[in-house]
Amino acid sequence: MLQKTHSAAGLVAAELVIVYHGGSFWSWEAAGALLLGCLAGPLADVDKQGSTMAKLLFPVSALLRLLNVRHRTMTHSIVFILTLMVLSLPLSPLYHAVFIAAYLSHPLIDLFNEQGVHLFWPLKARVRLLPKFLAVDTGSTSETVFRWMLLAVGIWLPVSAIGFPRLF
Ligand SMILES: [Zn+2]
């Protein structure tokens, strides 16, 4: 999936956390949470040379290359996410939940990809949710449709949380 699709998924994940926490969308904390979601969504692709995250976090991507960590392996695995859960504990409860949910959205939607994900890294098995002919290829029309669906949910969630009667 493309970075912008992962950002859209990260945004939806952040919004779901805010709704679940019963929080308001009209606060600086919520704005920070949404931004965090957009950034944490594409974060796992720091393992992909040339990606925006690899460029932004150059030392991390250089280290991953040095360790010969391949794309959609370690950074997309359950073991790594559990490690991140512990490492990000110093964050506030809302930001911690948003960070993990948005990061988790990444391998989750990559599961719809044709290549699948090494979800159980260091085991070698690749996991893919859809048969090849239904899989969403990176940059394909189906990915664009998928991204628009995510954005629609991303608009609908805060609007429904705020409530139409209060908007008009
Ligand atoms: Zn990925």
Side-chain angles (χ1 to χ4, degrees), residues 2 4 22 30 33 42-43 48 52 62 64 66 68 80-81 87 101 111 114 117 122 124 147 149 152 158 163:
L2 299 171
K4 48 189 173 184
L43 190 56
K48 189 181 174 188
T52 312
L64 291 175
L66 210 68
N68 208 14
F80 192 76
I81 293 167
L87 290 178
L111 288 175
E114 199 185 3
V117 179
K124 284 222 156 75
R147 186 168 58 249
M149 277 161 46

Side-chain angles (χ1 to χ4, degrees), residues 34 37 42 48 79 82 110 113 116 123 161:
L34 296 180
K48 189 181 174 188
V79 175
L82 290 176
D110 268 356
N113 212 284
L123 297 178

